[in-house]
Amino acid sequence: MKNKVKDLALDGVLRQNPTLKLVLGTCPTLALTTAAMNGVGMGLAVTFVLMCSNVIISSLRNIIPSRVRIPAYILIIATFVTIVRMFLNKFAPTIATAMGPYLPLIVVNCIILGRAEAFASKNPVLDSMFDGIFMGLGFMLAITLMGAFREILGAGAIFGVKLWDFKIEFFTHASGALFTYAIFIALFTYFSGLYSKKSKQKTLQKDKKEVEA
Amino acid sequence: MGKLVISNTPHIKSKSSTKRIMIDVLIALLPAFVMGIVYFGWYALLLCAISLITCILAEVVYLLIVGEKIKDIIRKFDFTSAVTGLLLGMNLPPECPWYLPIIGGIFGIVVVKMLFGGTGKNFVNPAITARIFLVLSFASFMTMWGEPSIGALFPLDSGATSGATSGATALGPILQGSSQMSNLDLFLGTGVGASAIGETCKVALILGYIYLVIRKVIDFKYPLIYVGVTGLMMVIYQGNINAFLPSILSGALIFAAIFMATDYVTTPNTTLGNIVYFALLGILTATLRHLRGTESVSFCILFMNFFVPLIDRHIVPKPFGFKKAKKEVKDGK
């Protein structure tokens, strides 16, 4: 079980990072990364919805007929999105307004539907819950980092704390969002390539040692 | 009879190379560069120098990081980054802060050119894109129009400050048809607010154009098509034949038409394709200028750069000796 959780964590955050590797959920990524705080808020909201919907879908996976599964998934996801919306409107209205239309749009976020279709509908409940948590964390990490990058360069601040007066406004525009996204995907692919090479070498050495032994 | 030499194609070689062409472009830029400094003073020279050095250094450092040897870099150095640097410097407003050319140069060379594969593989013009990057990033600095004066280089009285005004360019009144500028002033660039160091003196620009045409670096038709179509469209939009000269003489149109739009990499391959490209560029420039009331040459060139692959795809050069297949075979006489 421990190994499985570790595997799911690595998948969610690194090997199958939903934003940087699978390129899912690009709408909120491009629109909300103007500030690091938006990333945290959106990431938490998506993680919560993803975890809950994964659990429900996974526990209902043998009941839902496969022909109507997509409407059923959407219904389940929409329920949790509504809960999140009501919660945020009541207790954190500033975050809710900052996220604007992207909060209700979590319903059609590809990450959630994608995980429901690819993972939760085939795996047991506990695994699906961990998958939801780590996928959400991977998404949150990616958009928070991108938000920090854009906030530092575009507004000279981080998490709303002002650092300096110098700012390159390009990074606050939509073009800056696409540019940042491209840079992050490139860097992520480069470093994950290095990582997979290393791990391959390690397994090769292990195999060799085993053969020698 | 001499010995029969058997060699592979190509058999005819010319001395033309990227290096030679780029040096020609640099020489052609010189008159406008000198006039820019005469009008705007030493600070303009400093800006151009910073931009030039940044661009060359950015290319060298990028190649070093990628793993090229310093010997190869020097041997392969083809002056394209120098042209980009000088063009970017001449594209800047004469009063902008010194760090703008550094940021723009690094963006233009590293992101636009080197990441896409280096010289000849960039799909948009690096200098134009760097300028647009700066316009989007530092709008307040990039729309500061410098007031040129002959005495800028050696000011007689130390109290004379340069008259940088914001937003008031020669183009605004012209686009509204209420300009007081004489065509001669526009042509010489005296007393006209300018958004770029290099765009003022049209005589110097035309000198560079003639040099490039004589050296066969650019075709004489294309800048003429661009400038002509823009002027004609402005005449149509304003319904006034007198709008022709002021609209082509103001702003960065001539500078861009000669040096920026004619970049080999970002123009179509065929003559017909080029004519279509420059005509569309002219129509687009005039339309945007008319509708928005501001200078839009750089945005138009960047936009049209994206259409070059499309034009090349639909206007294909005819192979030598190629004939269209006839539908019916007639008995010839």
Side-chain angles (χ1 to χ4, degrees):
Chain A
M1 187 64 210
K2 219 176 186 184
N3 259 341
K4 189 117 200 217
V5 173
K6 195 185 155 196
D7 216 39
L8 283 174
L10 275 177
D11 262 351
V13 180
L14 291 174
R15 282 186 299 225
Q16 289 194 39
N17 188 301
T19 315
L20 299 172
K21 199 84 187 186
L22 307 178
V23 199
L24 293 173
T26 42
C27 277
T29 308
L30 291 173
L32 286 175
T33 47
T34 44
M37 206 55 220
N38 285 353
V40 177
M42 187 72 189
L44 283 177
V46 167
T47 308
F48 173 76
V49 174
L50 191 52
M51 187 185 79
C52 297
S53 69
N54 263 9
V55 166
I56 301 288
I57 288 166
S58 170
S59 51
L60 295 178
R61 68 184 186 278
N62 295 325
I63 301 169
I64 299 172
S66 71
R67 270 192 200 172
V68 292
R69 64 186 193 285
I70 300 288
Y73 295 166
I74 294 282
L75 205 64
I76 293 163
I77 296 165
T79 312
F80 289 108
V81 173
T82 313
I83 292 171
V84 168
R85 258 184 87 193
M86 287 167 143
F87 179 81
L88 283 182
N89 277 334
K90 171 78 185 164
F91 294 104
T94 45
I95 294 179
T97 44
M99 288 199 269
Y102 294 96
L103 192 54
L105 278 178
I106 296 176
V107 176
V108 285
N109 193 316
C110 320
I111 299 172
I112 295 165
L113 202 57
R115 288 329 284 177
E117 177 78 12
F119 197 92
S121 59
K122 292 167 197 151
N123 287 289
V125 179
L126 212 59
D127 286 3
S128 299
M129 189 186 81
F130 281 117
D131 179 75
I133 292 172
F134 290 122
M135 280 287 161
L137 277 181
F139 173 73
M140 185 170 89
L141 217 64
I143 65 169
T144 309
L145 281 178
M146 281 169 67
F149 179 81
R150 281 181 71 192
E151 201 181 350
I152 290 172
L153 286 175
I158 183 152
F159 288 107
V161 182
K162 203 174 167 194
L163 296 175
W164 48 68
D165 277 329
F166 178 78
K167 36 184 125 160
I168 304 174
E169 276 165 44
F170 173 77
F171 287 99
T172 58
H173 299 301
S175 43
L178 289 162
F179 184 76
T180 312
Y181 204 177
I183 286 182
F184 268 74
I185 290 178
L187 287 177
F188 186 80
T189 313
Y190 175 73
F191 285 116
S192 64
L194 285 186
Y195 171 79
S196 65
K197 235 185 212 170
K198 251 187 196 167
S199 60
K200 231 181 223 171
Q201 276 172 350
K202 254 187 198 167
T203 47
L204 275 178
Q205 279 170 354
K206 238 186 206 172
D207 288 351
K208 250 186 192 174
K209 269 180 194 168
E210 275 168 16
V211 168
E212 277 167 10
Chain B
M1 285 280 277
K3 239 177 155 182
L4 180 65
V5 178
I6 298 172
S7 67
N8 287 332
T9 51
H11 302 293
I12 303 166
K13 289 170 186 164
S14 83
K15 281 178 187 168
S16 168
S17 67
T18 314
K19 204 173 190 166
R20 198 212 66 145
I21 289 168
M22 288 304 150
I23 291 173
D24 272 345
V25 175
L26 282 178
I27 294 171
L29 276 169
L30 269 184
F33 177 60
V34 170
M35 285 317 284
I37 291 161
V38 168
Y39 283 152
F40 297 113
W42 296 113
Y43 190 66
L45 178 67
L46 181 71
L47 285 177
C48 288
I50 291 174
S51 164
L52 191 70
I53 293 165
T54 309
C55 282
I56 294 171
L57 271 184
E59 186 174 271
V60 171
V61 169
Y62 180 88
L63 287 173
L64 280 177
I65 291 172
V66 168
E68 293 250 0
K69 286 191 183 111
I70 194 99
K71 229 191 244 170
D72 289 341
I73 295 172
I74 293 168
R75 188 170 52 80
K76 280 187 205 156
F77 184 71
D78 55 8
F79 287 91
T80 40
S81 51
V83 170
T84 304
L86 193 58
L87 276 175
L88 175 64
M90 290 169 73
N91 254 302
L92 293 171
E95 306 277 333
C96 76
W98 56 269
Y99 52 81
L100 290 204
I102 295 180
I103 296 169
I106 292 172
F107 181 85
I109 292 293
V110 174
V111 175
V112 183
K113 199 172 101 179
M114 300 316 285
L115 285 184
F116 286 93
T119 305
K121 300 206 174 64
N122 49 304
F123 66 110
V124 289
N125 188 321
I128 284 274
T129 318
R131 182 193 149 84
I132 287 172
F133 176 77
L134 292 176
V135 169
L136 290 177
S137 300
F138 305 98
S140 54
F141 294 131
M142 291 300 284
T143 46
M144 227 157 53
W145 315 95
E147 204 71 46
S149 61
I150 304 288
L153 212 49
F154 304 104
L156 292 174
D157 54 323
S158 53
T161 50
S162 50
T165 48
S166 189
T169 168
L171 201 61
I174 286 164
L175 292 170
Q176 291 147 18
S178 65
S179 170
Q180 302 298 319
M181 300 283 179
S182 75
N183 286 339
L184 188 68
D185 266 350
L186 285 170
F187 190 61
L188 293 174
T190 47
V192 185
S195 66
I197 295 165
E199 73 177 29
T200 43
C201 185
K202 273 69 191 179
V203 185
L205 290 171
I206 288 165
L207 268 179
Y209 167 66
I210 292 168
Y211 178 79
L212 286 180
V213 170
I214 289 173
R215 295 285 286 175
K216 291 190 178 142
V217 174
I218 60 172
D219 196 308
F220 77 99
K221 291 193 289 286
Y222 304 142
L224 289 184
I225 292 173
Y226 182 15
V227 172
V229 169
T230 309
L232 275 179
M233 289 305 288
M234 287 309 286
V235 168
I236 292 169
Y237 282 136
Q238 301 202 353
N240 182 359
I241 196 79
N242 291 327
F244 187 77
L245 271 180
S247 63
I248 65 168
L249 287 176
S250 60
L253 179 61
I254 290 182
F255 178 57
I258 297 170
F259 294 106
M260 314 287 272
T262 52
D263 181 7
Y264 287 144
V265 189
T266 54
T267 45
N269 293 328
T270 51
T271 311
L272 183 63
N274 265 309
I275 291 170
V276 170
Y277 172 77
F278 282 97
L280 281 175
L281 200 51
I283 293 171
L284 191 68
T285 307
T287 311
L288 272 185
R289 271 184 168 189
H290 182 69
L291 290 178
R292 294 196 56 231
T294 53
E295 182 62 299
S296 43
V297 169
S298 51
F299 282 93
C300 293
I301 292 178
L302 180 69
F303 187 70
M304 283 306 293
N305 278 345
F306 294 120
F307 279 84
V308 169
L310 201 66
I311 292 172
D312 269 341
R313 199 170 161 176
H314 288 283
I315 301 175
V316 186
K318 210 166 76 175
F320 181 68
F322 177 80
K323 275 179 191 164
K324 255 190 184 173
K326 281 173 188 166
K327 280 178 186 169
E328 298 174 305
V329 181
K330 285 178 187 170
D331 292 322
K333 274 180 188 175

